[in-house]
Amino acid sequence: IARILSAAPARPPPSGEATQALPSVSPGIQRRHTLPASEVRPLNAQDAVSVFEIEREAFISVSGECPLHLDEVRHFLTLCPEFSMGWFEEGRLVAFIIGSLWDRDRLATEALTLHKPRGSNAHIHVLAVHRTFRQQGKGPILMWRYLQYLRCLPNVRRAVLMCEDFLVPFYRKMGFKVLGRCAVTVGALTFTEMCYPISGHAYMRRNSC
Ligand SMILES: CC(C)(COP(=O)(O)OP(=O)(O)OC[C@H]1O[C@@H](n2cnc3c(N)ncnc32)[C@H](O)[C@@H]1OP(=O)(O)O)[C@@H](O)C(=O)NCCC(=O)NCCS
């Protein structure tokens, strides 16, 4: 796992449908006593404040709501850090994903706060990119890395997420399929539920969740 995450971020194939193992990218010139130019690694509870700073700008300043409050970020990064991934540039968090496991086919309100270790659905709570690093393809690259990484974890059958309708085309481009309207609502916000098959034959991955 550590080896996979330490490689510099690689671009996903244009279709967003990833079928090959991650290339192993050599780190190039090693500089001593400096932070790595680019690093992708699982997050931990110490990263919670940086995560929340990005969330604050990305969500709270826009709608007053955010997918995970600071205590929930800490909760998931303590309970199941292996379902998170952060992209750092010179030590600064620029993009992240936080996930946990869920044990039902469709999301329910409890999925927003619970990690179900026996579940086979990787529930992606949030993908966010720091404002100044958006529109550079980092979100899709990180998601592609994450989906590849999930294939290395035992028992993960698919990834699921809920998003506002305007982001459906964004996730479709990465290979997610629409499951339908999500049962979960947050205040006045409603969501589309989407999934991405992780395990199974390549034909199954292309055609179903
Ligand atoms: C959505 C997000 C993760 C995209 O990451 P990114 O690295 O900027 O992605 P890209 O470089 O591919 O470019 C942005 C793409 O995001 C999508 N997108 C972002 N904001 C959008 C919006 N308000 N409406 C529609 N599409 C949007 C589009 O597909 C856009 O591609 P386009 O410019 O060709 O239309 C990033 O904009 C972000 O962090 N937003 C705030 C948090 C958020 O909404 N997260 C997703 C819900 S959990």
Side-chain angles (χ1 to χ4, degrees):
I1 289 167
R3 188 186 64 74
I4 291 169
L5 295 183
S6 66
R11 268 212 167 270
S15 67
E17 186 84 32
T19 54
Q20 293 183 345
L22 283 173
S24 160
V25 181
S26 62
I29 300 165
Q30 294 282 340
R31 282 176 296 171
R32 280 178 154 201
H33 311 303
T34 56
L35 292 163
S38 191
E39 181 188 24
V40 175
R41 65 161 171 82
L43 298 168
N44 57 56
Q46 281 77 53
D47 298 311
V49 170
S50 308
V51 163
F52 192 66
E53 279 308 308
I54 295 180
E55 271 205 286
R56 195 200 301 277
E57 183 281 322
F59 300 102
I60 298 176
S61 67
V62 177
S63 67
E65 299 281 357
C66 66
L68 298 172
H69 293 282
L70 182 57
D71 54 338
E72 293 164 334
V73 172
R74 282 206 183 96
H75 171 74
F76 286 119
L77 295 186
T78 304
L79 210 55
C80 49
E82 69 277 21
F83 285 94
S84 68
M85 193 176 270
W87 181 333
F88 295 80
E89 294 284 343
E90 293 176 348
R92 178 188 184 193
L93 184 68
V94 301
F96 68 89
I97 289 172
I98 294 180
S100 64
L101 281 176
W102 180 240
D103 59 357
R104 289 187 236 157
D105 280 349
R106 298 295 297 261
L107 293 172
T109 303
E110 308 91 280
L112 304 188
T113 48
L114 297 181
H115 168 57
K116 296 281 192 176
R118 289 167 178 275
S120 59
N121 303 293
H123 172 203
I124 297 170
H125 293 266
V126 53
L127 159 71
V129 178
H130 188 285
R131 178 172 44 92
T132 55
F133 294 85
R134 288 184 199 146
Q135 294 286 329
Q136 301 170 15
K138 284 189 162 53
I141 290 171
L142 187 66
M143 180 61 85
W144 181 75
R145 291 283 302 260
Y146 186 77
L147 295 170
Q148 291 297 297
Y149 163 72
L150 288 181
R151 296 169 72 183
C152 305
L153 299 181
N155 305 327
V156 176
R157 192 170 62 83
R158 58 183 196 156
V160 289
L161 59 79
M162 48 187 253
C163 66
E164 289 188 73
D165 295 351
F166 65 82
L167 282 174
V168 168
F170 173 74
Y171 287 115
R172 262 198 219 273
K173 267 191 246 167
M174 287 177 233
F176 280 82
K177 304 269 187 298
V178 170
L179 285 173
R181 195 117 296 282
C182 186
V184 182
T185 57
V186 177
L189 296 178
T190 62
F191 304 93
T192 297
E193 194 167 329
M194 303 186 78
C195 74
Y196 183 99
I198 298 295
S199 60
H201 188 273
Y203 174 83
M204 294 293 289
R205 281 203 300 274
R206 271 200 305 278
N207 293 288
S208 69
C209 255

